[in-house]
C-alpha cells in the first residue's frame, strides 16, 4: 500500500534514529509512543520502499566477497583478498599485499605478544609498511636467504617491527640453509641464535611467506643444487614455507632438509595461535593451496589472481583451524 506523508516522515525519522543514531527499537518505540513490533515493521517497510539504502563498502583494493568465500572454503580465521595489479601474473606477491598485511597485523597483535617473522619478500614488504604495533617482542623465525643481504632482508624486518612496537628484537644472523646437519646444529647453539630459538615456543602471532617449487619463487629451491632439486621434486614437492616442503595435498615431504636449516619447526608453527601467510599471484596459487591444506596457517593475505584459482583448486579441504598434523606426526 502507498504510504501517506505522515507515514513517510515517521518512517524516515525512525530509520534515522535506528541506522544513524544507533538507538534501539525499544528506545524508538518509547519516543514515538508505539510498540517495538511497530517500529520493526516500519523499519522493514522503509527498506522495502527504498527509503533506506544499505551499502556495504570497503576500500576499493579489498575484495570482500572473495575474502569471505576463501575464508569459508579453507576454514581460515581471516582471509583478505586484495585486487591484483595489472602485472600481477608476472609478479608473485605484489607489494600491496605487504601493505595490507601490515594493517592486519596492527589488528591481530596485542600488547605483550611475541611476533615471529619468517624470511620472505612479502614479509619484508610488510615490515617496511608497518606504522602501528602494540608493544611486543619480535623474533626472527628463519635464517636469511643470503647473510650478506641481512641488512636489507629479514633482519631489518625484525628490527623495523620492533622499532614500530617499541619492543625487543631478536634477529638471527645466519643463513637459512647450511651445507650439512652438523653445521646447522652448531649454529643453533651459538648464543644469539639460541636466544632467538628460545622464543619460538612463546610466539603468539607469526607472519610467513609461501614459495612455489620453481626458480625465483622458492627460496629453498634457489639455494639447492640441481641434484638436490631433482631429489625433492621426485618426492612431489609443490610448495615450501619457512624451509618446510609440502606436496600438493599439504603433506610434509623431504623432512631431512630441516636438519640443515635454521628455522622454526613445523610443530612449533602448529602451536602458534595465529599464523598469517602472505602470498599472491596465479603462479603461486597451487603452492598456497598446498600450504593451506597442511593446517599450519590460520589466516591468509592474497590477491584476486590467486583467489580465483584457489576457489576451484580440487576438493574442499579440511578446515585450517583443525590443526592436527595430517601426517600423524
Amino acid at each position: 500500500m502507498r504510504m501517506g506523508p505522515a507515514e513517510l516522515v515517521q518512517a524516515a525519522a525512525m530509520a534515522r534514529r535506528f541506522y544513524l543514531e544507533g538507538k534501539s527499537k525499544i528506545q524508538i518505540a518509547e519516543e514515538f509512543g508505539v510498540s517495538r513490533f511497530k517500529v520493526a515493521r516500519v523499519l522493514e517497510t522503509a527498506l522495502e520502499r527504498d527509503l533506506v539504502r544499505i551499502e556495504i563498502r570497503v576500500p576499493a583494493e579489498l575484495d570482500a566477497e572473495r575474502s569471505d568465500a576463501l575464508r569459508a572454503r579453507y576454514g581460515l580465521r581471516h582471509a583478505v583478498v586484495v585486487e591484483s595489479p595489472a602485472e600481477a601474473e608476472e609478479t608473485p606477491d605484489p607489494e600491496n599485499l605487504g601493505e595490507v598485511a601490515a594493517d592486519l597485523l596492527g589488528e591481530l597483535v596485542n600488547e605483550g605478544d611475541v611476533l615471529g617473522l619468517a624470511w620472505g619478500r612479502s614479509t619484508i614488504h610488510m615490515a617496511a609498511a608497518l606504522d602501528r604495533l602494540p608493544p611486543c617482542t619480535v623474533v626472527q623465525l628463519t635464517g636469511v636467504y643470503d647473510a650478506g643481504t641481512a641488512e636489507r632482508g629479514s633482519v631489518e624486518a625484525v628490527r623495523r617491527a620492533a622499532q614500530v612496537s617499541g619492543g625487543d628484537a631478536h634477529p638471527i644472523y645466519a643463513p637459512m640453509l647450511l651445507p650439512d646437519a652438523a653445521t646447522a646444529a652448531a649454529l643453533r647453539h651459538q648464543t644469539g641464535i639460541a636466544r632467538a630459538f628460545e622464543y619460538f615456543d612463546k610466539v603468539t602471532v607469526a607472519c610467513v611467506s609461501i614459495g612455489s617449487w620453481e626458480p625465483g619463487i622458492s627460496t629453498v629451491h634457489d639455494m639447492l643444487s640441481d641434484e638436490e632439486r631433482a631429489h625433492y621434486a621426485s618426492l612431489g614437492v609443490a610448495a615450501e614455507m619457512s624451509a618446510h616442503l609440502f606436496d600438493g595435498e599439504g603433506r610434509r615431504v623431504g623432512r631431512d632438509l630441516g636438519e640443515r636449516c635454521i628455522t622454526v619447526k613445523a610443530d612449533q608453527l602448529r602451536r602458534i595461535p595465529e599464523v598469517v601467510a602472505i602470498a599472491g599471484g596465479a603462479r603461486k596459487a597451487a603452492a598456497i593451496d598446498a600450504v593451506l591444506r597442511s593446517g599450519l596457517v590460520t589466516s591468509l593475505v592474497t590477491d584476486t589472481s590467486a583467489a580465483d584459482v584457489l576457489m576451484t583448486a580440487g576438493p574442499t579441504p579440511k578446515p585450517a583451524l583443525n590443526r592436527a598434523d595430517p601426517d600423524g606426526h
Side-chain angles (χ1 to χ4, degrees):
M1 294 180 62
R2 182 177 178 180
M3 297 177 71
E7 290 176 310
L8 287 169
V9 170
Q10 184 183 68
M14 288 184 176
R16 178 175 294 278
R17 304 290 194 280
F18 186 73
Y19 291 108
L20 299 183
E21 298 176 11
K23 291 189 177 181
S24 69
K25 293 174 183 175
I26 293 176
Q27 290 174 314
I28 297 170
E30 291 175 351
E31 178 182 347
F32 287 88
V34 298
S35 70
R36 61 186 177 90
F37 302 105
K38 165 80 174 194
V39 173
R41 286 197 299 273
V42 170
L43 292 174
E44 185 177 345
T45 300
L47 283 171
E48 292 173 351
R49 300 296 177 87
D50 213 23
L51 289 175
V52 173
R53 297 181 183 180
I54 298 176
E55 292 185 328
I56 300 173
R57 302 181 66 182
V58 295
E61 69 270 16
L62 300 182
D63 192 310
E65 185 175 349
R66 283 184 175 91
S67 297
D68 188 54
L70 202 60
R71 180 200 57 76
R73 174 174 169 79
Y74 286 92
L76 297 167
R77 186 171 291 121
H78 304 285
V80 182
V81 177
V82 181
E83 189 68 32
S84 300
E87 68 279 10
E89 291 191 10
E90 299 300 324
T91 310
D93 303 335
E95 291 191 22
N96 62 338
L97 293 186
E99 296 168 3
V100 173
D103 286 340
L104 179 60
L105 280 190
E107 292 182 63
L108 299 180
V109 176
N110 295 305
E111 183 173 352
D113 275 348
V114 177
L115 172 61
L117 300 181
W119 192 96
R121 284 179 291 269
S122 55
T123 52
I124 292 170
H125 292 155
M126 180 278 300
L130 281 171
D131 59 11
R132 63 185 177 100
L133 270 182
C136 64
T137 299
V138 186
V139 60
Q140 193 169 323
L141 295 179
T142 64
V144 298
Y145 173 45
D146 181 350
T149 62
E151 293 301 314
R152 303 191 302 275
S154 46
V155 170
E156 180 55 32
V158 169
R159 287 176 173 169
R160 167 66 182 167
Q163 180 184 33
V164 172
S165 74
D168 293 333
H170 295 278
I172 293 177
Y173 296 96
M176 181 188 296
L177 179 65
L178 281 303
D180 52 65
T183 304
L187 274 178
R188 291 189 198 104
H189 287 92
Q190 287 190 358
T191 303
I193 298 173
R195 187 177 299 115
F197 268 61
E198 289 173 359
Y199 277 92
F200 285 1
D201 288 325
K202 303 174 185 177
V203 174
T204 50
V205 180
C207 191
V208 300
S209 297
I210 295 173
S212 300
W213 196 246
E214 57 181 300
I217 312 184
S218 165
T219 301
V220 174
H221 180 283
D222 291 349
M223 289 191 289
L224 296 174
S225 67
D226 290 342
E227 183 178 353
E228 289 170 326
R229 291 170 189 159
H231 166 67
Y232 291 116
S234 72
L235 301 179
V237 60
E240 62 99 352
M241 178 184 69
S242 303
H244 301 292
L245 309 182
F246 305 87
D247 67 11
E249 299 299 319
R251 296 182 293 258
R252 287 182 60 212
V253 295
R255 292 169 182 259
D256 60 303
L257 184 67
E259 298 176 5
R260 295 169 50 193
C261 292
I262 302 297
T263 186
V264 62
K265 295 179 181 178
D267 288 343
Q268 290 173 312
L269 277 172
R270 198 178 301 280
R271 292 193 294 269
I272 296 173
E274 185 73 77
V275 179
V276 180
I278 314 170
R283 290 176 64 188
K284 273 197 178 182
I288 297 169
D289 176 65
V291 172
L292 292 182
R293 289 175 186 273
S294 75
L296 293 178
V297 169
T298 61
S299 297
L300 174 70
V301 177
T302 191
D303 62 1
T304 52
S305 295
D308 287 343
V309 180
L310 289 169
M311 290 307 299
T312 57
T316 302
K318 294 179 181 179
L321 297 183
N322 176 14
R323 304 180 75 189
D325 190 332
D327 302 334
H329 297 282

